[in-house]
Amino acid sequence: MIRRLSQARERGIPEATVARLPLYLRALNGMAERGLATVSSEDLAVAAGVNSAKLRKDLSHLGSYGTRGVGYDVEYLIYQISRELGLTQDWAVAIVGVGNLGRALANYGGFVSRGFRVAALLDADPEVVGDRIAGLNVEHIDELETVIRRRGVSIVVLATPAAAAQQVADRVVAAGITSILNFAPVVLSVPEGVDIRKVDLSIELQILAFHEQRKTDRMTGGPAMAEEWPEAVDL
Amino acid sequence: MIRRLSQARERGIPEATVARLPLYLRALNGMAERGLATVSSEDLAVAAGVNSAKLRKDLSHLGSYGTRGVGYDVEYLIYQISRELGLTQDWAVAIVGVGNLGRALANYGGFVSRGFRVAALLDADPEVVGDRIAGLNVEHIDELETVIRRRGVSIVVLATPAAAAQQVADRVVAAGITSILNFAPVVLSVPEGVDIRKVDLSIELQILAFHEQRKTDRMTGGPAMAEEWPEAVDL
DNA sequence: CCCACTTTGTGCATCGGTTCACAAAGGGAC
DNA sequence: GTCCCTTTGTGAACCGATGCACAAAGTGGG
Ligand SMILES: NC(=O)c1ccc[n+]([C@@H]2O[C@H](COP(=O)([O-])OP(=O)(O)OC[C@H]3O[C@@H](n4cnc5c(N)ncnc54)[C@H](O)[C@@H]3O)[C@@H](O)[C@H]2O)c1
Ligand SMILES: NC(=O)c1ccc[n+]([C@@H]2O[C@H](COP(=O)([O-])OP(=O)(O)OC[C@H]3O[C@@H](n4cnc5c(N)ncnc54)[C@H](O)[C@@H]3O)[C@@H](O)[C@H]2O)c1
């Protein structure tokens, strides 16, 4: 029987769901390696660290791929999620800014594993340009447009200093890129239609610090309520 | 006049707000450097890339620190947000797993700038132990408990391979740590009360790929509807 | 001192996302 | 074929977050 496309398919998958699909995919891959043929929403939910009702609702947005009384076919679900995420094609990624972080990313194996391929490394520093890292030549940022076109790059990872990030982002966007992963601690401004995701270590640590402070406050009997502004600063 | 503590203070700041405070703080620091004394919610919102009503509501959770008709005092607001986030104290951070990524993190300057201090580097590989990185000796993972206690570490950054992450997390938690930033692509299971934040490159790329696919699909006239499962796989 | 102007702080409607709970679907035993 | 058991898919209630819109508060000018 040809499976009916649920009306949910095509008509926008919720953003929160999209963000969890890679998690399910990772859990499923682990299960496939261990030779499991089917999995229940309950088991998969546990492996992915989410609630099983949420998992079922998420999957229902892709279509009706489970079998009541049985669960989901592991391989089939891997294929469906991969396809939905666009991982059945391979994506050429360029890393701009080959410093501490850029090098770590370039050398990172887990990158390649799932549809992503580092296709170019670019930097502005003549000292760095020409270096061979993870089998790739570091090219000069002046070549940006050419490299993007020639290698079919569609995702750019920004690992330059904060001061250069906006300027590089502008060039990258002008070159036709619409997907950017930004590691620099700045709010990038880009035109409508360009997707930016950011990874910000410092923000993550600050959020942890906030909660950590709450925990220790609670133990030591609450924060020092008095101290609001140590030396009264005239507003 | 002593400022009244709003009832919102102390009684839980929304998680979404907490996640944005570091953003406001960063924008404010930039403004302070440029010598601005006060800022309106509108200007600050633009600098932080959010809606101004949201910004005002966020700040209102900390207290009533603005002046109608004028805006917010930059220095004062920096202090209030810093205090709320717990950045007026300094936090000792340990990095476990000193490979590609761990090294980049250890060498990262922006780390120290705001209340965080890398206090220890730990690894299991005898080849790596003893290396001097960013002025710190890499210590053996066996010393974990001692190092955490002696240096007053309260936040641990996990940069080990995925396979080791859960095991290391267990030890770290047993040593009394309740805040972990995890770079390994695994769902860590930890007891109630332990906060985990994760940074997952691969997930970010997959989310970008999803949207990128949608964009190109739209241009090429929608996805190939027929192909649902290339070679019918028997369920 | 009053008035016009600016900008905050928030009540309220709305929205997206989560969770519960259950009817419907399918499998397997006999 | 019938019955029982398991598990999906989803309606509906709920919850937190967002954004509009405006009254209240404060500034500065005359
Ligand atoms: N290293 C980390 O662990 C870490 C963690 C979090 C965030 N970050 C952020 O990631 C970014 C990179 O960090 P890093 O430690 O690798 O810095 P880095 O200084 O080691 O490397 C930056 C690289 O970008 C290059 N560059 C500068 N301007 C450029 C331009 N216009 N075009 C192309 N390349 C340019 C430099 O030549 C250098 O090689 C920074 O914004 C940093 O704040 C780094
Ligand atoms: N490098 C990247 O750009 C990148 C990006 C995203 C995610 N990650 C993830 O970050 C983690 C680290 O990546 P990497 O590239 O630095 O890997 P790596 O192999 O270069 O480094 C891992 C380090 O952890 C150490 N280690 C192993 N077991 C340990 C244990 N039980 N206790 C303490 N240390 C132990 C190893 O000796 C090694 O030095 C991995 O989980 C990886 O998937 C890395």
Side-chain angles (χ1 to χ4, degrees), chain B residues 78-106:
Chain B
I78 287 176
Y79 173 72
Q80 289 300 343
I81 296 178
S82 296
R83 192 170 57 86
E84 195 62 54
L85 287 173
L87 305 179
T88 48
Q89 57 191 288
D90 99 2
W91 298 95
V93 175
I95 299 175
V96 182
V98 190
N100 283 320
L101 185 60
R103 272 161 215 267
L105 296 173

Side-chain angles (χ1 to χ4, degrees), chain A residues 5 15 26 79-80 84 111 178-179 195 197 200 204-205 211-213 215 225 227-229, chain B residues 5 15 26 79-80 84 111 178-179 195 197 200 204-205 211-215 228-229:
Chain A
L5 280 182
E15 196 53 36
R26 187 176 288 157
Y79 172 73
Q80 289 300 342
E84 194 62 55
F111 224 131
T178 57
S179 295
D195 281 316
R197 297 199 59 92
D200 197 319
E204 299 301 325
L205 286 176
H211 293 294
E212 186 66 28
Q213 187 186 39
K215 289 182 233 165
M225 297 274 291
E227 179 216 348
E228 276 267 309
W229 185 242
Chain B
L5 280 181
E15 195 55 36
R26 187 176 287 157
Y79 173 72
Q80 289 300 343
E84 195 62 54
F111 223 132
T178 56
S179 295
D195 281 316
R197 297 199 60 92
D200 197 319
E204 299 302 326
L205 286 177
H211 293 295
E212 186 67 28
Q213 187 186 38
R214 294 249 148 161
K215 286 180 237 168
E228 277 267 310
W229 185 240

Side-chain angles (χ1 to χ4, degrees), chain B residues 116-127:
Chain B
F116 301 96
R117 186 170 43 84
V118 180
L121 304 175
L122 297 145
D123 203 292
D125 185 349
E127 202 64 34

